Amino acid sequence: MSFAGKVKEELKGQTGRSRHCQIAELAAYFAVCGQVVSEADGKTLLKFTTENLTVLKKCYILFKKAFRIAPDLSVRDGHSYGLYVLDEDEAFMCVKAMGVFEGGELAADSVIQRSCCKRAFLRGMFLASGSMSDPGRGYHLEIAAGDSDSARRIQEIIGVFGLEAKISERKRNFIVYMKEGAAISDFLNIIGAHVSLMEFENIRILKEMRNSINRKVNCETANIRKTVSAASRQASDIQYIRDTVGFGNLSENLAQIARVRLDNPEVSLKELGEMLDPPIGKSGVNHRLRKLSEYAENLRKKKAGGQHD
């Protein structure tokens, strides 16, 4: 099962204790898959259509809890499910409670005044039309909102909890999404997916530790390469001085560091300084080696000038 599947499986069992929270979650399902239907005979009924069996079951449970209604159910082609409130009086009662306008448009604001109801509404939206990537691969959570007004509403509700969500349009459908691991973690907490939250955090911590270790290893590897490259360059300069004019014209300090470096090409500047008599610090070693490199460069220029002449 995917990580998103695990989250939804956990949310299936999360039902608000208060009737107002149950109605707020039902309003979210109405926003995704519900509609008010006017029959030819003038009768009005409430209908939910979904391919998600989990959503169907959750809607059925919430109708029974919030309204004491047992809706009618149907299955089409084994993958499309319908839930109906056929009694007109009951349908009107549910529509009014969920904040649905006469034309079938969901107002929602009237049923999500409380913070707990906002959480329930977001839980319903994610269960009905949300998805997220495996946190081991990347961080991405999104809710398919449908139109731009619905997307802005979801974005604003998420913002109430101090989280930043963005909106994008994809194939004429507006998507509300988050890509920050910390924000997604907080969102899972808001909608009540606490078990999934713990798993998400464990994966995130391990991933960040692994990335931190990789960064340190890469940094140390780069430093080693830099040190080896510098040592190789220094040895090359010193060998050129030895093979060209010898160490006789060098000061005692420079001649000493030249011999020690040639004998110990792999050691660090700190270790090199400790081998000298008397010992000197890293900056002193670096200064002397730089002098030798400048001396070697001048010799190369003189030789090149002489060959040119």
Side-chain angles (χ1 to χ4, degrees):
M1 183 183 292
S2 67
F3 190 84
K6 292 179 181 179
V7 175
K8 292 188 177 186
E9 188 65 24
E10 181 181 357
L11 294 180
K12 183 177 69 174
Q14 295 286 344
T15 302
R17 294 181 180 179
S18 302
R19 183 172 182 268
H20 49 75
C21 290
Q22 296 162 6
I23 293 173
E25 188 170 345
L26 267 175
Y29 298 128
F30 181 88
V32 176
C33 58
Q35 61 182 129
V36 178
V37 180
S38 296
E39 299 284 82
D41 58 3
K43 185 179 178 181
T44 299
L45 59 88
L46 185 59
K47 177 182 179 182
F48 288 73
T49 307
T50 179
E51 295 183 358
N52 188 327
L53 184 58
T54 298
V55 171
L56 181 80
K57 291 178 179 178
K58 195 70 181 291
C59 287
Y60 187 85
I61 291 170
L62 290 170
F63 269 107
K64 291 194 70 175
K65 284 180 174 291
F67 299 113
R68 302 291 188 269
I69 294 173
D72 287 84
L73 302 175
S74 69
V75 181
R76 180 180 296 176
D77 301 328
H79 60 79
S80 180
Y81 308 98
L83 180 149
Y84 305 87
V85 178
L86 299 175
D87 183 275
E88 192 167 36
D89 291 336
E90 290 180 342
F92 273 122
M93 176 184 67
C94 297
V95 165
K96 183 178 178 181
M98 289 188 295
V100 179
F101 290 147
E102 185 175 344
E105 182 184 350
L106 178 68
D109 294 343
S110 61
V111 296
I112 55 171
Q113 295 294 320
R114 300 176 175 90
S115 176
C116 57
C117 293
K118 288 180 172 65
R119 293 172 185 268
F121 185 83
L122 290 176
R123 178 167 60 245
M125 289 301 304
F126 182 80
L127 188 57
S129 62
S131 63
M132 65 180 297
S133 61
D134 185 328
R137 298 179 180 176
Y139 304 133
H140 183 89
L141 182 147
E142 66 178 42
I143 297 173
D147 58 67
S148 59
D149 289 340
S150 297
R152 282 193 294 272
R153 174 194 293 148
I154 295 169
Q155 183 186 45
E156 288 171 3
I157 297 171
I158 291 173
V160 169
F161 296 97
L163 303 181
E164 182 181 359
K166 297 182 180 180
I167 297 174
S168 67
E169 186 177 2
R170 185 188 304 158
K171 296 180 180 179
R172 297 183 181 179
N173 186 20
F174 286 83
I175 307 295
V176 181
Y177 69 94
M178 291 181 285
K179 286 182 171 291
E180 294 293 330
I184 293 173
S185 180
D186 288 339
F187 183 84
L188 293 176
N189 183 50
I190 289 166
I191 62 176
H194 302 302
V195 175
S196 299
L197 167 62
M198 293 301 296
E199 183 179 350
F200 181 88
E201 280 298 287
N202 286 336
I203 294 172
R204 194 161 75 100
I205 290 169
L206 288 174
K207 187 176 179 180
E208 289 180 359
M209 286 178 59
R210 191 180 300 115
N211 289 340
S212 177
I213 291 171
N214 287 339
R215 283 194 297 270
K216 289 180 180 178
V217 169
N218 291 339
C219 182
E220 290 174 0
T221 300
N223 287 337
I224 289 171
R225 287 176 178 169
K226 185 178 178 181
T227 300
V228 170
S229 176
S232 175
R233 196 165 54 249
Q234 292 158 5
S236 176
D237 288 338
I238 293 169
Q239 289 170 353
Y240 184 79
I241 295 170
R242 181 196 61 192
D243 298 342
T244 305
V245 297
F247 296 155
N249 293 329
L250 298 177
S251 66
E252 183 179 347
N253 289 340
L254 292 183
Q256 183 186 28
I257 194 70
R259 294 188 182 94
V260 173
R261 171 48 92 192
L262 284 180
D263 293 339
N264 303 275
E266 76 288 349
V267 302
S268 66
L269 297 184
K270 183 176 181 295
E271 293 171 314
L272 206 62
E274 293 170 352
M275 295 177 180
L276 300 177
D277 185 21
I280 62 173
K282 181 179 175 180
S283 61
V285 172
N286 191 50
H287 175 73
R288 293 183 186 183
L289 290 172
R290 190 165 59 248
K291 287 287 187 182
L292 288 171
S293 293
E294 290 173 358
Y295 185 55
E297 186 61 24
N298 288 332
L299 288 175
R300 291 188 182 98
K301 287 179 180 178
K302 288 181 180 178
K303 183 177 181 181
Q307 289 176 347
H308 181 74
D309 293 340

